[in-house]
Amino acid sequence: MVYRAIRFSYKSLASAFSPPSRFSTSNLHTMSPARFPPQFANTDHRQRSLLQLRSKQIALEKYIYLNGLKERDSHLFYNILLENMQEMIPILYTPTVGEACVNYSHIWRRPEGLYVSINDKGHIRDVLATWPNLIDGRIAVVTDGSRILGLGDLGANGLPISIGKLDLYIAGAGIKPLSTVPICLDLGTNTQRYLDDPLYIGVRRPRPTGPEMDEFMDEFMEAMKEVFPTLLVQFEDFSTDNAFKYLDRYRYQYRVFNDDIQGTGSVILSGFTNAARLASAASGLPPSDHKILFFGAGSAGIGVAKQLLSFFTMSGLSPEEARSRIYTVDSKGLITADRKGLQEHKKFFARTDYNGPPMTDLVDIINYVKPTALLGLSTIKNAFSEQVVKAMSALNKRPIIFPLSNPSSLCELEYQDAVEWTDGKVIFASGSPYKPLSYGGVVHEPGQGNNMYIFPGIGLGSILCKTRHVSDAMVEQAAIALASSLTEEEKAAELVYPRLERIRDISAQVAIAVIRQAQKEKLDDNAYLRTLPDPDLLGLIHDKMWQPPALHLQSFTRL
């Protein structure tokens, strides 16, 4: 039987099939120098590669180029990535990775990850065992492609989301490339255009439901534990119902967490904590008196809302009082408990204190709720109109508005509009990156609620302490660590998130918080870390971060 197990090949320079650059460490010894121009070793191949990248005008072409560079010369790729984070992350992940997923069947060039098909049911363990780096495996990002970003069911085209996420683990927390395992569960697709596409690379069938899906997932997770006994599994971009279902089903059996639910919630909790501090400083409002209105009630929206309960409980409210400070809105309007056919995951925040007719207009809902913060996870482009933003501005001296939907083509509000419509008063964070802009003689710098601030540190901390489970308290402590990581300069600039170029320092702070909480809950299996004081543990975390080999000039003698 031929399995669909495909290697994600992080080749070392010694085995990469590419001409040796001045930065190569070993290829010069394996290829004849006569194959290269006489002065090649005296030129800056890193700069050449950057110029080649920047010469491309289309984001998807940049993605394809970087993907090829990683295969040809992974050390050069990661050196360039670490030195050019702000430029490259939007290409390797949101927003460009969404376009890469949509078009993956057409831009596919080489094997990059591990596919486990619904047709493999009954021998999934055998498929996983074909992975070439079984002993090295420490972290897997697993998607079934059913809800990629806000783009819907992309089926087997979803693999780049796992690959991109793992690149961020490597860049953000120094996870070793060979220890990463990107996996796509090829379970079919309900998107007809892919089923009709002759180049579609996935199984051509509708998605399984009910017992068939449950049995597949049970077999998959048990096989993952057998084949990769030390692996941490991150679920990524499952459909809303399945995201909640399988997190709840497996979180106490295996080392697993869901970044859409827990990671997104954690990073937004951190940003909201800093945003609320700025808003309260302007209004005098106590932290416990904030109200949050969520526009969008899928897995990400409800996951974030549940995480933000911690903001209110840490401010002294009871869990029930905290829940009363959060309102949710979906496509049918304000979510109330008396709505017929309400989905299970939406019931937690459904209002019991509203008895009027259905309220569907967002401006009307804002005027009724009087929120201090409006968070968007709806994937509806420009949902926050000028009327919506001005309604928020009329209620608050510093309105908190977080349009968090990814990619940017689905963002609820453009940054320039947010600044202009609030006369520069908005406290803003988005899911995708925006550039700083000048308004009223002041440079305004947007925040980005990028999960990269959180999940690399959660992963690194979980791996190092060998946690048996990833608890809610570990995720909460990660958010607190991120919120506390702002420098004095960043606070003076009124940022809600630290600057991304400090990501490894940030990830180390998140990791130590995760480790200490795992120890507190007795979830850790690495007793040695318990013996280390915080400064020594922080030093160990930095020491464990992988760095690509230093790039240096190599010389060779032509015959």
Side-chain angles (χ1 to χ4, degrees), residues 172-391:
I175 304 295
K176 293 180 181 178
L178 285 175
S179 70
T180 64
V181 187
I183 297 177
C184 183
L185 305 179
D186 183 13
L187 306 177
T189 179
N190 294 333
T191 302
Q192 193 60 43
R193 74 177 183 274
Y194 290 132
L195 296 175
D196 294 338
D197 184 351
L199 294 182
Y200 178 59
I201 58 178
V203 173
R204 297 174 189 272
R205 57 154 284 176
R207 287 188 173 275
T209 58
E212 184 183 14
M213 180 69 175
D214 291 346
E215 290 169 7
F216 176 90
M217 289 300 298
D218 287 347
E219 181 185 349
F220 171 75
M221 290 303 295
E222 186 59 29
M224 287 287 284
K225 184 177 181 180
E226 292 178 12
V227 175
F228 301 102
T230 61
L231 197 75
L232 174 68
V233 175
Q234 178 194 310
F235 286 148
E236 183 75 16
D237 284 351
F238 280 66
S239 64
T240 296
D241 289 342
N242 282 342
F244 282 102
K245 176 181 181 179
Y246 293 123
L247 176 61
D248 291 341
R249 190 181 185 98
Y250 302 126
R251 63 184 308 177
Y252 300 115
Q253 289 180 260
Y254 307 105
R255 303 171 74 208
V256 61
F257 76 104
N258 185 303
D259 186 54
D260 302 304
I261 297 172
Q262 296 165 291
T264 302
S266 183
V267 78
I268 303 309
L269 171 59
S270 172
F272 181 80
T273 298
N274 288 327
R277 172 177 50 81
L278 294 172
S280 289
S283 67
L285 192 72
S288 59
D289 285 354
H290 281 278
K291 288 183 183 178
I292 308 174
L293 180 62
F294 279 85
F295 184 71
S299 61
I302 298 301
V304 171
K306 287 184 175 180
Q307 196 69 56
L308 284 181
L309 290 171
S310 298
F311 171 82
F312 294 106
T313 56
M314 287 187 292
S315 299
L317 298 186
S318 69
E320 194 56 40
E321 289 171 332
R323 183 160 61 167
S324 73
R325 311 303 294 175
I326 294 175
Y327 297 72
T328 54
V329 176
D330 64 7
S331 60
K332 297 179 181 179
L334 181 67
I335 297 176
T336 57
D338 61 355
R339 184 194 295 179
K340 293 182 179 179
L342 190 62
Q343 290 174 280
E344 190 64 32
H345 72 277
K346 296 180 181 180
K347 293 179 180 178
F348 186 82
F349 289 105
R351 304 302 299 189
T352 59
D353 55 358
Y354 176 77
N355 299 312
M359 192 176 293
T360 58
D361 183 79
L362 185 54
V363 174
D364 290 341
I365 295 171
I366 289 171
N367 288 329
Y368 167 72
V369 173
K370 294 180 172 51
T372 57
L374 175 63
L375 275 62
L377 295 107
S378 67
T379 69
I380 299 176
K381 179 70 173 177
N382 296 328
F384 296 167
S385 65
E386 184 174 359
Q387 291 75 23
V388 167
V389 173
K390 288 189 172 180

